Amino acid sequence: MQELKHNLKIRKMAWIGTGIMGGPMCGHLMDAGCEAVVFTRSKAKAEPLLQRGASWARTPAEAAGAAQVTFTMVGFPQDVRDVYFGENCVLAGAKPGGIVVDMTTTEPSLAVEIYKAAAEKGIRAIDAPVSGGDVGARNASLSIMVGGEGEAVETVLPLFEKMGNNIVHQGPAGAGQHTKMCNQIVIAGTMIGVTESLVYGYKAGLDLPTVLQSISGGAAACWSLDNYVPRMLRRDFSPGFIVEHYIKDLRIALEESRRMNLQLPGLELAERLYTKLQRLGHGRSGTHALLLALEEMSGLEIIQ
Amino acid sequence: MQELKHNLKIRKMAWIGTGIMGGPMCGHLMDAGCEAVVFTRSKAKAEPLLQRGASWARTPAEAAGAAQVTFTMVGFPQDVRDVYFGENCVLAGAKPGGIVVDMTTTEPSLAVEIYKAAAEKGIRAIDAPVSGGDVGARNASLSIMVGGEGEAVETVLPLFEKMGNNIVHQGPAGAGQHTKMCNQIVIAGTMIGVTESLVYGYKAGLDLPTVLQSISGGAAACWSLDNYVPRMLRRDFSPGFIVEHYIKDLRIALEESRRMNLQLPGLELAERLYTKLQRLGHGRSGTHALLLALEEMSGLEIIQ
């Protein structure tokens, strides 16, 4: 799908949730010539977009009512639920024939629920969670995992292409969210492996940067090793991707896996370890702070 | 250290253990001009080297007695113990001033034991486990993790450079083995994350190769995802690296971590899952057969 380059047919879009991810993503669409109507809980967060010519809506319904396509990029599943089903919600405002696109990482079952409720009103719904973090949002280099019907996805594709460089249609409604869960489950494993390896190497008396020289190019190679270990060794646990949001994702994946009668002990372990990390006061730290939970369990602190 | 290219000063070496790894590694040293004396339990496995001009020794002691440097590449820690401390062993045959190099992945504490016993006889011992598998052994592209004293390591370095492309001196005796454990601990995490992700994605009804398109280039990127998933999807569980040997490594890492009072729950989980896989009859399959243990736990089989 990346090869296809469409002309932008959508000129008017709404954007709900203009935080650290949504802000720059909406900005890319404005750069591409879209007229934007924005709504976000704290208006201050929308100011940069308003100064660049976006117009302000007082409610999600008002925003959706003014646009052909409405994007949502909020925080937790309950926020998504409020925006789509609460008072003055997107589905109350959006016009028949319109498209709504939830880019929040949320429950696959909620994506299906939105899809069905939208369909009853003649509105097409797409789930399109992303990976790539705030850097990917700023650089328009996100991976966008898309669930929904082909025609609606094709219509929105030119807009996705302004925000990401790896856009893949994964299947029907919910498939984008399920794919994001696959992504988060792999990361659960890599984060545990990397942090336990560091704890072991430290306690064994090794020089950790020297260990990396031996192991980072072979079968142990992973993004987490390359990107997080340098920060861990500097004891820099600022996000990146915050622990609270990752716990949300892990719990969604766990709940879905239980619904599907799957036993995923690594995922369960990750949820326990990250919950422990949150209890240690690191809910707003980056996910690589997992090292601190492992250190705490073994009563040590790695000092470079 | 990779930049340094030394002239080969060592002309006569012994090689003990000429299997799938040791055979090609010894061959590279012969290609570089080393005269080789070989010993291995099944003489048939040494035939290709003997036909190329290596001479045969009837015991490890005889091999070591004829060489400046003796390499060992055998199977399990007990094999290493037999070769170094058993009847007609390497340490009985090696001459004072000589060097012995164990390239088997074995216990860090055993490496230290060999080092001390060797030192009493005026022999210098190095531990130098590798990663890169049989392909790395054939292509001389191994990562070699070296523990031992600097002067002995420097002396053997030109030989290591004929077998690998990433040679790193990690510290004193045992440090090579500890580094290999760091490598195996990371892999424990990546294998669990990758296999659980596949099981989840399959059960969620996703098309797994399409999932890979979304997730393999981002924060979930890892060697295991790139290299093992295509084989898993073909249901090709041939090794690669066999489960029994990986279980050996995991148990060494666990034992060492317990000795150091570390809690490494991901490592513990990996050992349990791989032991389960072995009980399912897959001790001689490749490590990516872990998928089968996860499938068994959830009562399903992934079919493409």
Side-chain angles (χ1 to χ4, degrees), chain A residues 200-271:
Chain A
Y200 178 101
Y202 168 72
K203 189 77 176 184
L206 300 175
D207 180 64
L208 298 176
T210 308
V211 170
L212 278 192
Q213 287 176 39
S214 278
I215 74 172
S216 65
C222 56
W223 190 95
S224 298
L225 200 63
D226 291 342
N227 287 271
Y228 284 137
V229 173
R231 298 187 220 177
M232 292 177 193
L233 296 182
R234 287 198 307 272
R235 312 295 294 175
D236 170 9
F237 297 111
S238 60
F241 183 52
I242 71 169
V243 167
E244 282 173 5
H245 285 159
Y246 191 44
I247 291 176
K248 171 198 75 169
D249 297 352
L250 292 170
R251 289 182 184 164
I252 292 170
L254 261 184
E255 199 172 307
E256 291 287 332
S257 68
R258 284 173 183 150
R259 194 182 56 73
M260 298 189 285
N261 293 315
L262 296 176
Q263 298 270 346
L264 303 180
L267 174 61
E268 286 170 22
L269 174 61
E271 195 270 342

Side-chain angles (χ1 to χ4, degrees), chain B residues 49-97:
Chain B
L49 296 168
L50 297 175
Q51 282 171 19
R52 288 171 56 190
S55 53
W56 177 250
R58 285 163 304 175
T59 65
E62 187 181 316
Q68 296 164 274
V69 178
T70 301
F71 294 91
T72 53
M73 188 60 157
V74 296
F76 289 83
Q78 187 56 49
D79 302 321
V80 175
R81 202 167 278 282
D82 289 349
V83 162
Y84 280 92
F85 300 114
E87 209 177 337
N88 295 312
C89 68
V90 165
L91 291 184
K95 294 170 192 153

Side-chain angles (χ1 to χ4, degrees), chain A residues 2-298:
Chain A
Q2 282 169 265
E3 289 72 23
L4 300 170
K5 292 288 169 195
H6 301 249
N7 292 319
L8 286 183
K9 289 179 187 158
I10 295 159
R11 289 288 163 203
K12 191 130 190 191
M13 61 93 182
W15 197 286
I16 293 163
T18 57
I20 195 168
M21 297 294 292
M25 291 163 76
C26 178
H28 293 311
L29 297 188
M30 290 175 68
D31 289 343
C34 280
E35 213 177 302
V37 188
V38 302
F39 171 83
T40 202
R41 277 186 304 198
S42 318
K43 192 174 177 183
K45 287 192 181 170
E47 273 306 332
L49 296 168
L50 297 176
Q51 282 171 20
R52 287 171 57 191
S55 53
W56 176 251
R58 285 161 304 174
T59 66
E62 186 181 316
Q68 295 164 273
V69 179
T70 300
F71 293 91
T72 54
M73 188 59 157
V74 295
F76 290 83
Q78 187 57 50
D79 302 320
V80 174
R81 204 168 276 283
D82 289 348
V83 162
Y84 279 92
F85 300 115
E87 208 177 338
N88 295 313
C89 68
V90 165
L91 290 184
K95 293 170 193 151
I99 300 176
V100 296
V101 185
D102 185 25
M103 302 191 77
T104 319
T105 295
T106 187
E107 297 145 354
S109 54
L110 177 53
V112 172
E113 199 180 326
I114 291 170
Y115 173 84
K116 287 180 178 167
E120 283 177 14
K121 302 187 177 207
I123 299 161
R124 292 163 294 168
I126 292 171
D127 51 299
V130 305
S131 77
D134 54 336
V135 175
R138 282 198 302 275
N139 298 342
S141 61
L142 295 168
S143 172
I144 307 181
M145 298 158 251
V146 187
E149 283 174 4
E151 199 194 326
V153 172
E154 284 294 316
T155 305
V156 180
L157 183 59
L159 301 188
F160 285 148
E161 287 173 341
K162 302 297 176 192
M163 298 185 271
N165 58 15
N166 186 31
I167 296 110
V168 184
H169 185 193
Q170 291 288 347
Q177 298 295 349
H178 274 310
T179 303
K180 178 69 186 281
M181 292 303 122
C182 287
N183 188 71
Q184 303 304 70
I185 292 169
V186 174
I187 293 172
T190 63
M191 291 305 293
I192 292 171
V194 165
T195 49
E196 292 195 1
S197 178
L198 286 189
V199 165
Y200 178 101
Y202 168 72
K203 189 77 176 184
L206 300 175
D207 180 64
L208 298 176
T210 308
V211 170
L212 278 192
Q213 287 176 39
S214 278
I215 74 172
S216 65
C222 56
W223 190 95
S224 298
L225 200 63
D226 291 342
N227 287 271
Y228 284 137
V229 173
R231 298 187 220 177
M232 292 177 193
L233 296 182
R234 287 198 307 272
R235 312 295 294 175
D236 170 9
F237 297 111
S238 60
F241 183 52
I242 71 169
V243 167
E244 282 173 5
H245 285 159
Y246 191 44
I247 291 176
K248 171 198 75 169
D249 297 352
L250 292 170
R251 289 182 184 164
I252 292 170
L254 261 184
E255 199 172 307
E256 291 287 332
S257 68
R258 284 173 183 150
R259 194 182 56 73
M260 298 189 285
N261 293 315
L262 296 176
Q263 298 270 346
L264 303 180
L267 174 61
E268 286 170 22
L269 174 61
E271 195 270 342
R272 284 200 302 279
L273 291 174
Y274 273 101
T275 299
K276 181 185 181 65
L277 179 61
Q278 188 179 34
R279 281 202 303 265
L280 290 172
H282 286 282
R284 307 290 296 176
S285 297
T287 49
H288 56 296
L290 182 63
L291 182 65
L292 300 171
L294 268 299
E295 289 175 4
E296 199 272 345
M297 287 166 66
S298 291

